[in-house]
Amino acid sequence: MSDRGAASEGMRVSRAAAQRLSLYLRCLTAWPSDAEKISSSQIAAAVGVSDAQVRRDLAALGHLGQRGIGYEPRELATAIREALGIHRTWRVVLVGVGNLGRALLRYQGFRAQGFQIVAVFDNQPTKIGECIEGLRVRPLHELEATVTTEGVELAILTVPKEAAQSVADALVRAGIRGILNFAPVVLRLPQHVQLVTVDLAIQLEQLTFLVQHANGVAPPAFNG
Ligand code: ATP
């Protein structure tokens, strides 16, 4: 995942810390519901970061937890949700109903986390009007009206890289506040529109880097 920088104006936690907060929340969600406390070392062990890191990240959220006693799991989860902005529902459009777009539409996890995909768009005449996961594929000229009438704030962009910038520009004109971009391209957006890019090839490159530099472990011989 790539982003514009460590922290943007008005944000109390850095983007790296925000990623860790998401992991802490996963850990809290899986924590036994009758548990009264969770310690920073339990969160640290579950997520794979240091104890001190967890304490620093959580301290940025305010006065939560007590030294030597730990955090109240539900209170902590609520504070993290608020910090991440997922204590509310977000209305989302998806542009580009190719293979990746359709796969994302089928993914149930978005709705469970409060992300509601309310409309989908494409520019292929054969796809417009088709019904995918209960949503009619709309032409791009309906974008602005849909964003306004449906109260949409976020967009998922799953068009090819050649089309990504012009579609992103259209999303900006339509009033979108944030774009989750899956196209392997660096998008230029105005400051008031937030961008997160998921470049799966870059993620794989990170993995090959780690595997290649794994300390002292010789690769097995390939006999293929
Ligand atoms: P398919 O073969 O069904 O098109 P795909 O995953 O190979 O699937 P891509 O070429 O990656 O398709 O394109 C993803 C989707 O983005 C497609 O549905 C395509 O019609 C759509 N698309 C391409 N250009 C634009 C554009 N300018 N505006 C909106 N949608 C676009």
Side-chain angles (χ1 to χ4, degrees):
M1 195 155 60
S2 61
D3 64 62
R4 282 204 182 128
S8 54
E9 212 181 323
M11 205 188 272
R12 286 174 299 154
V13 293
S14 71
R15 285 285 299 273
Q19 281 192 29
R20 288 193 297 272
L21 288 180
S22 290
L23 295 175
Y24 304 161
L25 186 57
R26 292 260 192 285
C27 160
L28 288 165
T29 312
W31 206 247
S33 55
D34 56 351
E36 287 181 5
K37 294 288 173 199
I38 186 167
S39 67
S40 53
S41 49
Q42 286 171 314
I43 298 173
V47 168
V49 300
S50 76
D51 211 357
Q53 181 73 73
V54 173
R55 280 201 300 274
R56 258 200 311 277
D57 290 337
L58 297 183
L61 304 185
H63 294 289
L64 297 158
Q66 285 170 274
R67 185 176 282 275
I69 296 181
Y71 303 89
E72 202 278 292
R74 277 160 300 278
E75 184 193 30
L76 185 55
T78 301
I80 293 179
R81 283 200 185 90
E82 281 175 11
L84 293 174
I86 53 170
H87 55 305
R88 48 162 287 201
T89 299
W90 292 86
R91 293 167 76 77
V92 183
V93 292
L94 181 143
V95 186
V97 289
N99 293 308
L100 180 57
R102 284 167 198 257
L104 293 176
L105 284 171
R106 279 194 296 272
Y107 175 57
Q108 302 298 320
F110 290 140
R111 188 168 284 270
Q113 297 284 3
F115 300 104
Q116 231 180 328
I117 300 180
V118 297
V120 297
F121 294 84
D122 207 283
N123 75 340
Q124 270 262 343
T126 54
K127 292 182 179 176
I128 291 166
E130 199 185 322
C131 192
I132 302 175
E133 299 297 313
L135 296 168
R136 174 182 64 87
V137 180
R138 305 178 193 212
L140 277 181
H141 66 75
E142 289 183 18
L143 192 56
E144 201 161 332
T146 306
V147 167
T148 307
T149 57
E150 297 278 352
V152 176
E153 293 175 271
L154 306 179
I156 298 174
L157 193 52
T158 46
V159 297
K161 64 177 190 298
E162 301 73 27
Q165 185 62 56
S166 67
V167 175
D169 292 342
L171 287 164
V172 170
R173 282 195 299 276
I176 284 290
R177 297 177 60 198
I179 297 177
L180 181 61
N181 168 42
F182 283 88
V185 63
V186 178
L187 293 178
R188 292 173 310 280
L189 298 178
Q191 277 298 319
H192 69 277
V193 180
Q194 306 307 313
L195 172 69
V196 169
T197 297
V198 181
D199 187 324
L200 296 173
I202 287 184
Q203 300 292 306
L204 273 176
E205 285 166 22
Q206 298 298 305
L207 183 61
T208 55
F209 174 81
L210 291 172
V211 168
Q212 182 162 287
H213 296 281
N215 37 349
V217 181
F222 177 61
N223 298 316

